[in-house]
């Protein structure tokens, strides 16, 4: 995540479910310098079992693990997707989240979900994200960043990279006429 520019400084956090435990990055950690002995070991309910205290975002991670298909969660504050999360028109009632200009995000995780702002680390954020899903999920959190839940950490990070690239394309084409994929083209990609 650090090499991809998804977690500048000490932003972002990751976790992986291993059996009945969740391994999570510790609070305030630089994802470029994480090692096994610095991880927090959590019970499925988020209780700290061993290691350093987890990221304050642990309620969000625990909520996403309620879906049986989720084995990894990655949360980022990447530049373009976070900027996208601040736009009033993104995710507004009755509007498309982001025009689907290329197939990649649509094929992997459409539709992009948008949830309202809550303070980072808020237990209520977990409540907004809770829900069983049989597919990978990518969620844009207003004025905060993105979180991806998938079967593997590689898959979750790939979703965040694809979101960032889609957000870059969105900003690069904003204000000029674009030709988004049609509804039929999007449906075809998701089959």
């Amino acid at each position: 995540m650090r090499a991809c520019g998804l977690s500048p400084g000490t932003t972002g956090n990751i976790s992986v479910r291993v059996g009945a435990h969740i391994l999570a990055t510790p609070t305030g950690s630089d994802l470029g310098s994480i090692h096994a002995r610095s991880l927090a070991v959590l019970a499925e309910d988020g209780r700290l079992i061993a290691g350093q205290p987890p990221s304050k975002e642990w309620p969000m991670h625990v909520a996403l693990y309620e879906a049986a298909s989720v084995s990894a969660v990655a949360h980022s504050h990447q530049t373009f997707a976070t900027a996208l999360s601040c736009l009033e028109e993104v995710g507004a009632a009755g509007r498309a989240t982001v025009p689907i200009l290329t197939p990649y995000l649509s094929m992997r995780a459409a539709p992009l979900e948008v949830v309202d702002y809550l303070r980072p680390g808020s237990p209520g954020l977990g409540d907004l994200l809770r829900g069983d899903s049989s597919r990978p999920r990518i969620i844009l959190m207003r004025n905060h960043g993105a979180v991806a839940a998938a079967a593997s950490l590689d898959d979750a990070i790939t979703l965040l990279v694809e979101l960032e690239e889609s957000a870059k394309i969105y900003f690069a084409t904003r204000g000029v006429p674009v030709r988004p994929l049609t509804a039929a083209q999007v449906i075809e990609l998701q089959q």
Side-chain angles (χ1 to χ4, degrees):
M1 283 181 60
R2 182 73 183 265
C4 293
L6 301 176
S7 60
T10 58
T11 66
N13 41 75
I14 59 175
S15 66
V16 177
R17 180 170 34 196
V18 180
H21 297 106
I22 298 169
L23 303 177
T25 52
T27 189
S29 59
D30 174 346
L31 296 186
S33 62
I34 296 293
H35 47 81
R37 65 183 178 278
S38 66
L39 295 175
V41 180
L42 307 175
E44 288 180 317
D45 64 2
R47 250 179 324 106
L48 181 64
I49 295 172
Q52 297 182 28
S55 163
K56 66 184 170 196
E57 302 281 21
W58 69 263
M60 169 177 63
H61 289 254
V62 169
L64 289 165
Y65 284 118
E66 290 180 9
S69 63
V70 174
S71 294
V73 175
H75 167 46
S76 63
H77 297 160
Q78 68 245 45
T79 304
F80 286 91
T82 301
L84 193 64
S85 79
C86 296
L87 296 178
E88 188 173 322
E89 73 264 18
V90 172
R95 297 189 198 177
T97 303
V98 176
I100 298 176
L101 301 173
T102 64
Y104 307 106
L105 189 61
S106 176
M107 289 169 35
R108 300 274 300 169
L112 175 64
E113 300 171 55
V114 180
V115 297
D116 288 333
Y117 174 82
L118 285 177
R119 174 187 52 79
S122 166
L125 190 52
D127 294 337
L128 285 178
L129 304 180
R130 188 166 273 112
D132 190 37
S133 178
S134 60
R135 63 176 177 78
R137 291 177 72 192
I138 185 131
I139 302 150
L140 200 55
M141 299 175 288
R142 287 209 171 279
N143 302 85
H144 184 166
V147 62
S152 73
L153 190 54
D154 285 343
D155 288 347
I157 292 170
T158 296
L159 289 172
L160 293 174
V161 168
E162 290 178 3
L163 172 61
E164 185 68 355
E165 293 308 309
S166 293
K168 286 177 186 177
I169 292 167
Y170 177 77
F171 282 109
T173 60
R174 199 163 180 222
V176 297
V178 296
R179 185 181 314 169
L181 296 177
T182 66
Q185 289 168 328
V186 170
I187 290 168
E188 177 187 33
L189 290 167
Q190 295 171 0
Q191 294 175 350

